[in-house]
């Protein structure tokens, strides 16, 4: 890989599932991944596990403790990466939570958590990276939204609401951005991960067991992201929707 193709890619929520798969694939491809999440132990283990790939590819995985619900935390995450590498090429806003429930369960704390992580977390990333991308004359925002950004089903009202919001914010960012800044939304269907573990509502948890039986591996999403960021600078992949072939 030519040095000018080696990107500095920040990934939020890289400690499991889709974020972890993105980090693993990008390190293998020779990129430097600044991997953020609250579970720093998981990120450190991932750095160790990917070290042989990094040695082969010239890339690397750099763990940073991150809580996306804190604006200052996300600003520090982006700043640390820029200080270390001199620039930031891609910000992947992937961190998310999905404690599904019907509205009449009134799990208002879980509604708040979804809004804080899935919406405020995304906005904190925009606030932190947009000035950096503008100053350096380029950059790439990638939002991991969801098929839930395109459809609502019972028990998904708040989660889908946050993902519709993530979709809208990312589309607005695309329309407003200078052409040197690329903006991509990736909307996956059901993918194997820890995402459903946070569901406390028994009805929603049961429904998810059947639904999630069709899940595809998170590397499928990593492949989509890899495609989007590898395009020439004048090509902006706006949105990718991918789901299991069995998910209708
Ligand atoms: P996981 O639960 O496996 O991963 C979620 C990641 O988000 C973890 O790394 C977690 O890290 C991180 N995270 C959660 N809260 C915070 C926080 N406050 N600050 C920083 N990081 C946080 O689920 P997935 O990999 O499936 O989810 C990744 C994204 O993909 C989410 O946005 C999800 O909505 C979306 N998605 C997933 C689908 C699926 O079927 N799996 C389908 C469509 C979209 P930690 O706990 O260590 O902080």
């Amino acid at each position: 890989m030519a040095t000018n193709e080696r990107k500095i890619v920040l990934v939020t929520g890289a400690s499991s599932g889709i974020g972890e798969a993105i980090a693993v694939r990008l390190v293998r491809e020779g990129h430097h991944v600044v991997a953020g999440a609250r579970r720093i132990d998981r990120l450190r283990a991932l750095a160790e596990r990917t070290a042989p790939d990094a040695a082969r590819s010239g890339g690397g995985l750099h763990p940073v403790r991150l809580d996306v619900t804190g604006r200052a935390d996300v600003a520090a995450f982006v700043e640390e990466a820029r200080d270390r590498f001199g620039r930031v090429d891609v910000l992947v806003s992937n961190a998310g939570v999905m404690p599904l429930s019907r509205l009449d369960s009134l799990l208002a704390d879980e509604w708040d958590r979804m809004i804080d992580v899935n919406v405020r977390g995304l906005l904190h990333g925009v606030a932190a990276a947009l000035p950096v991308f503008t100053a350096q004359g380029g950059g790439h925002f990638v939002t991991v939204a969801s098929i839930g950004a395109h459809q609502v089903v019972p028990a998904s009202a708040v989660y889908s609401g946050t993902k519709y919001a993530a979709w809208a914010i990312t589309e607005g960012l695309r329309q407003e951005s200078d052409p040197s800044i690329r903006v991509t939304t990736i909307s996956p269907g059901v993918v194997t991960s820890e995402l459903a573990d946070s569901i406390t509502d028994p009805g929603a948890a049961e429904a998810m067991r059947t639904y999630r039986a069709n899940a595809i591996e998170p590397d499928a999403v990593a492949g989509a992201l890899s495609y989007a960021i590898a395009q020439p600078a004048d090509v902006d992949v706006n949105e990718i929707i991918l789901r299991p072939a069995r998910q209708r």
Side-chain angles (χ1 to χ4, degrees):
M1 166 183 293
T3 314
N4 62 1
E5 292 171 351
R6 198 185 301 290
K7 292 180 189 286
I8 311 303
V9 185
L10 279 57
V11 182
T12 72
S15 60
S16 65
I18 292 170
E20 176 179 328
I22 289 170
V24 167
R25 181 184 270 253
L26 294 188
V27 168
R28 210 167 277 159
E29 291 178 354
H31 302 293
H32 280 286
V33 175
V34 181
R38 294 165 303 170
R39 290 171 295 176
I40 189 75
D41 50 324
R42 297 268 293 250
L43 296 176
R44 289 193 181 121
L46 190 60
E48 253 176 58
R49 188 149 61 78
T50 54
D53 280 336
R56 266 191 296 275
S57 70
L61 189 143
H62 312 275
V64 176
R65 190 192 306 275
L66 169 70
D67 184 340
V68 297
T69 64
R71 196 188 305 164
D73 235 47
V74 182
F77 178 61
V78 172
E79 223 25 69
E80 191 174 325
R82 188 166 67 160
D83 286 351
R84 181 172 188 148
F85 295 103
R87 68 178 203 278
V88 172
D89 297 311
V90 186
L91 172 63
V92 184
S93 291
N94 163 76
V97 292
M98 189 191 69
L100 299 177
S101 60
R102 294 174 58 91
L103 290 167
D104 58 10
S105 297
L106 300 179
L107 295 172
D109 288 344
E110 296 188 352
W111 304 346
D112 285 349
R113 196 148 58 86
M114 283 188 272
I115 292 165
D116 285 346
V117 178
N118 302 358
V119 182
R120 291 203 173 89
L122 168 67
L123 284 169
H124 294 156
V126 173
L130 189 52
V132 174
F133 289 171
T134 303
Q136 69 189 17
H140 194 160
F141 286 101
V142 182
T143 298
V144 179
S146 171
I147 204 71
H150 299 269
Q151 67 183 52
V152 185
V153 295
S156 87
V158 179
Y159 178 71
S160 290
T162 64
K163 292 298 186 178
Y164 272 70
W167 187 94
I169 290 163
T170 310
E171 171 60 11
L173 179 63
R174 185 187 72 76
Q175 292 179 17
E176 292 175 13
S177 291
D178 183 86
S180 63
I181 296 175
R182 298 190 291 172
V183 184
T184 302
T185 303
I186 301 182
S187 289
V190 60
V191 173
T192 305
S193 77
E194 300 174 12
L195 193 65
D197 296 357
S198 64
I199 300 175
T200 62
D201 183 74
E206 185 49 40
M208 269 293 110
R209 262 188 280 282
T210 321
Y211 181 69
R212 295 190 74 78
N214 286 332
I216 50 175
E217 290 305 308
D219 185 57
V221 183
L225 177 128
S226 167
Y227 164 78
I229 69 170
Q231 296 309 301
D234 61 348
V235 177
D236 191 2
V237 177
N238 301 153
E239 180 162 21
I240 297 176
I241 299 179
L242 73 158
R243 56 186 133 194
R246 284 188 301 259
Q247 186 181 355
R248 287 290 140 197

